[in-house]
Amino acid sequence: MTRVVHPIAKSGQIIGLLGGSFDPAHAGHVHITTTAIKRFRLDRVWWLVSPGNPLKKNGPAPLADRMRTAREVMKHPRVCVTDIEARLGTRYTADTLAALKARHAGVRFVWLMGADNLTQFHQWQDWRWIMDNVPVGVVARPGDRIAARLSKAAKIYASARIPGRGAHILGMKHAPAWSFINLPMSSQSSSAIRARGEWR
């Protein structure tokens, strides 16, 4: 399998970062990604396939397997599937973002996540640093809209929220800035796929 040492980025580009274990990657991830490209007007999206999730007790499938599956699922000319976190040696999202910002001073990064992650975002390591340093694009998933809007992160950063109709300017804004795009999403999930015995 060919591995990407480091994705290519040009100064001035707006690049969305979608991190996760992708255990396994599925059509829901693809739908979130293509929607984010359109609504947030992103030049590129990098899938950051993580070595492991610090918030999960059980480790994921081997990284090589998850990378291979992710590349089979996500075929888009503006999306790069990468294992850069393993190569950077970063464990937490904040550390990864700090490293990428240092390497690409002229690039505008946007952190992407599902609305389900916003509900627990305050449990992430250095989550306030993330909000204060990188614009965040939140994509709604079924059943998570209300809980996400009532989350601790949403309340603390309420004044930094950009309405969904203005989501296209998110990448040009200075942090803290975040936008919640509310639309029908795929109900497919990695946990459901694993529960059905269709992975590993």
Side-chain angles (χ1 to χ4, degrees):
M1 177 185 67
T2 301
R3 283 184 145 197
V4 176
V5 175
H6 197 99
I8 297 174
K10 297 179 180 179
S11 180
Q13 283 187 319
I14 301 174
I15 297 180
L17 303 172
L18 182 64
S21 56
F22 295 95
D23 188 31
H26 53 72
H29 293 126
V30 174
H31 192 28
I32 286 175
T33 302
T34 55
T35 298
I37 289 174
K38 295 175 183 176
R39 294 291 301 277
F40 298 128
R41 294 190 183 173
L42 306 173
D43 295 307
R44 303 272 295 171
V45 170
W46 296 352
W47 276 17
L48 308 182
V49 183
S50 66
N53 186 338
L55 294 180
K56 293 183 178 180
K57 294 181 180 179
N58 299 321
L63 179 59
D65 293 342
R66 291 182 285 123
M67 285 286 292
R68 173 180 49 77
T69 302
R71 287 198 172 116
E72 291 172 353
V73 169
M74 183 73 258
K75 296 183 182 297
H76 192 289
R78 288 160 62 184
V79 180
C80 176
V81 177
T82 175
D83 60 356
I84 194 171
E85 283 189 304
R87 294 183 173 276
L88 290 173
T90 52
R91 176 172 171 81
Y92 297 103
T93 297
D95 296 333
T96 299
L97 292 175
L100 291 177
K101 284 171 64 67
R103 288 184 177 222
H104 303 284
V107 174
R108 294 178 176 271
F109 288 110
V110 173
W111 181 252
L112 303 173
M113 62 182 177
D116 56 328
N117 280 321
L118 186 62
T119 62
Q120 57 160 352
F121 194 45
H122 62 281
Q123 299 176 18
W124 291 26
Q125 181 82 10
D126 297 322
W127 71 275
R128 295 199 67 156
W129 183 93
I130 298 173
M131 291 294 292
D132 291 336
N133 287 272
V134 182
V136 175
V138 183
V139 182
R141 294 181 62 175
D144 296 315
R145 297 181 179 93
I146 296 177
R149 289 185 173 130
L150 297 177
S151 67
K152 182 175 181 178
K155 290 179 179 178
I156 292 176
Y157 286 92
S159 63
R161 180 181 174 185
I162 298 172
R165 63 181 178 277
H168 61 282
I169 65 171
L170 179 65
M172 300 301 295
K173 301 288 286 186
H174 292 290
W178 65 285
S179 186
F180 183 105
I181 54 176
N182 187 6
L183 72 169
M185 294 298 299
S186 168
S187 60
Q188 193 169 13
S189 71
S190 296
S191 57
I193 293 174
R194 293 195 302 270
R196 293 194 299 268
E198 297 173 5
W199 175 240
R200 287 195 253 187

